Structures are given as C-alpha cells and as structure tokens.
Amino acid sequence: MTKINASLKTPKQDKSVIWFVLSDGRGTNLKIYSGITIQTKHWSKKNSCVLSSNQDAISINAFIRERKAEILAIYLDFKARNIKATAKDLVQALKDKEKSKEVILEKPTLWELWSIFLQLKKRTCNPTTYKKFISLGNHLKEFENLENLLLDVDTINKATFEALEGFLYFHKNLNTQSSSKYLQVFKTFLRWCVDNKHTINTNYLSYKLTSQPDTLKVILTDKELQLIREVNLEGKNYLHNARQLFILSCLTGLRYSDYSRIKREHLKQDDNGEPILIMRQTKTNDFVEIPLNTESEMIVKELIEEKIRPITNQKINEYLKELCKIAGINETFEIHTYKGKQKTITTKPKYELVTTHTGRRTFATTLLLKDIPAETVMIFTGHRDYKSFSKYVNIPKKEQIKSVRNALKSL
C-alpha cells in the first residue's frame, strides 16, 4: 500500500526542512522537499504537523495536507500508466500542475540558468577560476542524484546548503576550505539569479560559510633550499626541471601559472642595467616587475632557450615531493584536517607537504625575515590586502622569538 508522510529531514538539529517521504512497501522510497524550514521544536513527530507554537502553523499544515494529497495522486497516476516515477518526475509533475492553475511565463530551470551563468563566467574569468565553476556544476548534479531531488532556485535555502556541505565533506572527501570555496561560488550564482530577476528567493543567505582554522603553511629554510640545489640527481634527471622551476619560484614568488609561460619578451633590464622580469600575472591580471639575481636570471634564460621546460602542475608537485625526499627534507609535522567542526590529526614528513605554492610562500617569508616591509613584499606577490597576505606567510616560531629577544636587548 502506497503511503506518504511529512517529516523533518534533520530532526536532531535546531532547524530542519520539511520533506515528504513516499513509500509503497516494495522498495520505493521517494523524498521531495517542501521548501519550508522550521525550528525542530515546532514539529510534532507523532502527528506529522507543525505545532501551534509556530505562528505560521495553520498555513503550513494546510499546505502539507494539500501537497501530500497532490503527490500521492500524481504517483498513483504514474503507477496506473505503468511508469515507475522518480522524485524528479513528481516534482516536475507538481510544477506542471501549478502551471495549469494559472497562465504564467515559462521560467528557466536552475540548469538553464547555470548554463547562461557559465557562458558569462567563461568570458570574464581566467581558466583556473572557470574550472571551479565547472567542478561545482558536476558536484551539484551528483548531489541531486544522491539526494534524489531537483534543485530549484526558488526553493534553495539554508537546509539545502547544509545538505550540500555534508555531501562535499563526506561523499567528495573535501576539507572545510575547499568545500567553502564551492559553496561561495554557489552563493555567487544564486545572487546573480536574484540580481537578474530570475527569482526573489534569498533564503539561502541565512547559511553562513564555515571558516577553517589556520592550517600549516610549509616553507623551506635557506639550508633546505641549498640541500635541493646540491642534491645528486644521477639516474633521476627527470627531476631537474622540477628543481629549477621550484628554485625560480622561491627566488621570484611567481605562481606556477606565471613561471610556466615565461617568454623572451618578459626578460628586461631596469634603468641600472640589472635584469628584471616584467609580466602580467594570470590570476590577478596585474603587471608585476620582479628583480632577478644571478641564479634566477640563469633559470629564466634556460626556460627561454628551452634548456628546461614547463611541466604540468600535477607532475611538478609529484616530482617536488620525490626531490625533497632525496634531499633529506624529512622533518615530521602534525597535520590538522577539518571537515566542518570535525578535526583529523595525522603526521607527515615535510617532503610530502611541499608543492609549487611552497615556492611563493618561501619567497615571501624569506623577504620578511630579511626585514623587507610587508607592503613591499605584497607588491611582488600580487596580494592586494594584508589580511590575505598574512595567512600566506609563515615566520617560524624560533625566528619570531629571536626577533623579539633582539628588540628587548635594546630596551
């Protein structure tokens, strides 16, 4: 016998969305969101209704009764036609029924709006940022299939974001920082929908992104960088490219996306005849002028003359770990990984933590340790505000203590 009940999706939380669960006792178990979120204390589990302590109880309960009857009737109609309906089928049928009640303009679906949004972003974003939008779209489609629901810009709310956040944590195995970036992109899309009059729904704004505590930012010391320079690569010549490109990053602060495309026209001389690299940064689209020392100038010329060549970011990250391991950069670190409030602690040797980005962090931190003002360093790293820059660098604790001790001696 086919039954349909209204219940709370997350009854143990302070707030929850109401959804309808339809089952026929033969394995069918369809869930359809109501688009209504209430405080869980206002819900009667026994009677499957909103308690009178909620000021909107009468209207919500009337909606629940009507919607349950509609869903059941639609499902039985599908069944009579020997069609095995899905939750998406029922949601679409409900929408069709609403359209039949009144003459309304055809509204684009979320995915039709997403397609338009992507086309706009493709013209205005750099390729790396655009890939994040593509990845988010893939995650959203997988989320829909897993939850057996149809996302709708008119009904997305805080509960939707909370469910999506859990999906990114536990099904995509993303940490808090990566998940928050995707959720922020989704918010950007929904804000675009509101700004362009595709919806008036702003319920999603009550969802606040989870901030990840500061995590370990690995840098290399002068001694470690020298170990990399001197390590014997006999039999492992394929690591030479990675070593040179990484050293260049440590000496210039350039991102992988920039040093991997250096050309002859980027190498100039300043007014004093000293070598300088002038190029537009891929990420910020700003020009940057980087002074070169003897070593960095040599590596730049090797790139221009194709004595060394750029390799993929994924491959260079793989090679850097192998290079640093051979060089003996194996100090052990405690790593904290966050998924919301859930923290996992592991230990890893330093060589496993080195990436292309470590070069930029090493460059910025080294200059600060040599008493170059942060405002000056930011000019070369491309940071526009101190808040983001301060999260980027990593002054070792012993160096901080040394600086304070030296300052106190002069008092």
Side-chain angles (χ1 to χ4, degrees), residues 329-340:
I329 301 173
N330 51 19
E331 180 183 357
T332 301
F333 286 86
E334 187 177 85
I335 308 301
H336 295 193
T337 304
Y338 296 87
K339 292 182 179 180

Side-chain angles (χ1 to χ4, degrees), residues 150-171:
L150 191 66
L151 290 170
D152 189 328
V153 294
D154 290 331
T155 59
I156 290 172
N157 54 22
K158 182 181 179 181
T160 311
F161 267 82
E162 289 171 342
L164 180 57
E165 181 181 40
F167 166 79
L168 293 173
Y169 288 160
F170 303 111
H171 288 277

Side-chain angles (χ1 to χ4, degrees), residues 222-239:
D222 290 344
K223 182 179 178 181
E224 288 170 331
L225 194 55
Q226 191 61 29
L227 288 173
I228 289 176
R229 289 187 179 102
E230 296 174 353
V231 67
N232 185 355
L233 296 181
E234 185 177 352
K236 293 183 178 291
N237 291 334
Y238 60 90
L239 295 179

Side-chain angles (χ1 to χ4, degrees), residues 259-320:
Y259 65 70
S260 61
R261 60 182 183 85
I262 289 175
K263 293 182 174 57
R264 188 176 300 277
E265 56 265 29
H266 296 139
L267 181 59
K268 307 288 184 182
Q269 288 186 337
D270 63 17
D271 294 339
N272 298 316
E274 297 291 337
I276 190 170
L277 200 66
I278 302 178
M279 63 191 309
R280 188 185 292 276
Q281 295 178 314
T282 301
K283 184 174 182 178
T284 64
N285 209 32
D286 293 332
F287 274 105
V288 64
E289 299 182 16
I290 306 287
L292 302 177
N293 64 12
T294 302
E295 185 178 17
S296 58
E297 181 188 15
M298 178 195 71
I299 297 174
V300 167
K301 286 181 177 178
E302 287 180 336
L303 270 169
I304 293 172
E305 295 167 4
E306 298 184 352
K307 292 180 180 178
I308 61 173
R309 65 188 186 283
I311 53 181
T312 66
N313 194 30
Q314 181 180 5
K315 208 64 180 176
I316 195 173
N317 280 328
E318 177 187 330
Y319 287 165
L320 284 177

Side-chain angles (χ1 to χ4, degrees), residues 49-65:
C49 67
V50 179
L51 297 172
S52 58
S53 52
N54 185 303
Q55 62 180 6
D56 299 318
I58 295 176
S59 60
I60 294 175
N61 287 332
F63 170 81
I64 289 174
R65 288 192 298 271

Side-chain angles (χ1 to χ4, degrees), residues 181-194:
K181 287 181 179 179
Y182 281 122
L183 293 168
Q184 181 58 58
V185 170
F186 195 29
K187 275 194 165 188
T188 300
F189 163 67
L190 294 174
R191 185 168 60 249
W192 173 83
C193 290
V194 173

Side-chain angles (χ1 to χ4, degrees), residues 162-225:
E162 289 171 342
L164 180 57
E165 181 181 40
F167 166 79
L168 293 173
Y169 288 160
F170 303 111
H171 288 277
K172 304 308 297 181
N173 199 32
L174 299 179
N175 62 23
T176 300
Q177 184 177 15
S178 297
S179 299
S180 292
K181 287 181 179 179
Y182 281 122
L183 293 168
Q184 181 58 58
V185 170
F186 195 29
K187 275 194 165 188
T188 300
F189 163 67
L190 294 174
R191 185 168 60 249
W192 173 83
C193 290
V194 173
D195 291 345
N196 288 276
K197 313 300 182 186
H198 296 301
T199 183
I200 59 172
N201 174 34
T202 57
N203 291 331
Y204 67 91
L205 291 175
S206 61
Y207 171 81
K208 303 301 179 185
L209 295 170
T210 304
S211 298
Q212 176 169 292
D214 285 342
T215 54
L216 180 66
K217 298 181 282 286
V218 169
I219 65 160
L220 295 188
T221 64
D222 290 344
K223 182 179 178 181
E224 288 170 331
L225 194 55

